[in-house]
Amino acid sequence: MVGGASNHLQVYDNITKAIRYYEQALQMKRRMYGENTANPDIMQTLGYPWMSLGDYWKAISYHEQSLQRYRSIYGENTTHPYIVQSLSSDLQCSPKRHPRL
């Protein structure tokens, strides 16, 4: 429910509200499953609105955290679709794509 509402808010350019919803979802999952729960899906998703706001370093930080967590779940050298997706999210935020970084 929270993720669906966030997607609609992002479409209507209310990106900061979307970020708050994703952060709420992350906090709720941590309360339900423990502070050390991986939650790489939410971490990765949080990178996109920050990228839309132009805060590429914050976006990269979330994407890298997601990548690390997926690798801890599936293995450092495993080829897994979520790891590939996380790597590609990182590339979207790379300084080569955004020369002002």
Side-chain angles (χ1 to χ4, degrees):
M1 180 69 172
V2 173
S6 294
N7 289 335
H8 292 295
L9 291 168
Q10 199 169 356
V11 168
Y12 292 103
D13 291 327
N14 203 340
I15 296 170
T16 55
K17 194 175 244 185
I19 290 169
R20 283 196 306 271
Y21 277 119
Y22 286 125
E23 288 175 346
Q24 273 184 336
L26 183 61
Q27 292 307 315
M28 287 179 191
K29 275 193 159 186
R30 286 182 174 162
R31 280 194 300 267
M32 288 186 318
Y33 301 111
E35 198 61 35
N36 295 323
T37 304
N39 301 306
D41 54 334
I42 296 175
M43 300 300 286
Q44 182 174 356
T45 304
L46 265 164
Y48 295 116
W50 285 111
M51 188 171 62
S52 296
L53 290 174
D55 193 336
Y56 300 107
W57 293 116
K58 194 160 199 161
I60 288 168
S61 172
Y62 277 114
H63 290 221
E64 286 178 348
Q65 289 177 63
S66 170
L67 177 60
Q68 290 170 355
R69 291 168 190 224
Y70 277 131
R71 284 184 168 160
S72 74
I73 293 168
Y74 298 110
E76 189 68 31
N77 298 316
T78 303
T79 302
H80 191 279
Y82 292 156
I83 293 173
V84 172
Q85 182 180 8
S86 223
L87 285 166
S88 127
S89 296
D90 245 6
L91 287 172
Q92 290 177 5
C93 297
S94 77
K96 286 185 180 178
R97 285 185 53 104
H98 306 283
R100 61 185 173 179
L101 291 179

